[in-house]
């Protein structure tokens, strides 16, 4: 089993930045592929970013490219999401996800383990 705990969410003005963290426990972190998803109000959960076990391969949803950066620190069992140039449409609950081998990195059904989510609100 893997436990994931997100932190770092909050209220920020448009154009601002936030860094989300997701701490993992219960399994060797470096064996896990990690993802970030988000669920805007009234919408389905959507893919944000993905990182492989070593941190050498990342993927982003098109709307996040150039603004968001996913990274990981295997020594700290933590994955991060640096979010810059935030927009009101980035308002959502952000979830961390993990899986030993997600078959489709952008598909929420590919991930076995999920955190409880952290709220990000961007004001205009």
């Amino acid at each position: 089993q893997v436990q994931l705990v997100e932190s770092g969410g909050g209220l920020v003005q448009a154009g601002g930045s936030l860094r989300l963290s997701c701490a993992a426990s219960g399994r060797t972190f470096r064996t896990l592929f990690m993802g970030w998803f988000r669920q805007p109000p009234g919408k389905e959960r959507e893919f944000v970013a993905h990182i492989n076990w070593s941190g050498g391969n990342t993927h982003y949803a098109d709307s996040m490219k150039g603004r968001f950066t996913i990274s990981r620190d295997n020594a700290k069992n933590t994955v991060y999401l640096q979010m810059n140039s935030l927009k009101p449409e980035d308002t959502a609950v952000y979830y961390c996800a993990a899986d030993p081998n997600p078959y489709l990195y952008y598909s929420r059904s590919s991930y076995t383990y999920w955190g409880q989510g952290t709220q990000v609100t961007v004001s205009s």
Side-chain angles (χ1 to χ4, degrees):
Q1 292 297 317
V2 175
Q3 293 77 45
L4 303 173
V5 179
E6 301 99 332
S7 61
L11 174 64
V12 64
Q13 288 188 334
S17 298
L18 280 176
R19 188 176 82 156
L20 306 183
S21 300
C22 173
S25 61
R27 181 180 174 132
T28 305
F29 181 68
R30 58 180 173 81
T31 68
L32 296 170
F33 290 70
M34 303 298 296
W36 284 98
F37 288 75
R38 71 183 186 184
Q39 189 162 11
K43 297 183 179 180
E44 293 189 354
R45 197 170 300 187
E46 62 184 10
F47 171 72
V48 174
H50 163 268
I51 189 166
N52 73 336
W53 65 271
S54 70
N57 192 20
T58 59
H59 298 92
Y60 298 91
D62 287 343
S63 61
M64 288 73 164
K65 288 180 181 177
R67 298 191 301 125
F68 291 9
T69 302
I70 188 171
S71 61
R72 65 190 295 161
D73 186 338
N74 286 345
K76 295 182 178 180
N77 292 352
T78 301
V79 63
Y80 305 97
L81 185 68
Q82 178 66 44
M83 305 186 294
N84 299 328
S85 302
L86 284 163
K87 306 174 182 179
E89 51 264 43
D90 293 317
T91 294
V93 178
Y94 283 72
Y95 296 91
C96 174
D99 195 271
N101 188 23
Y103 61 94
L104 290 173
Y105 65 83
Y106 53 83
S107 172
R108 60 189 183 189
S109 63
S110 295
Y111 294 84
T112 302
Y113 306 105
W114 290 85
Q116 83 290 348
T118 185
Q119 176 71 47
V120 171
T121 303
V122 184
S123 63
S124 58

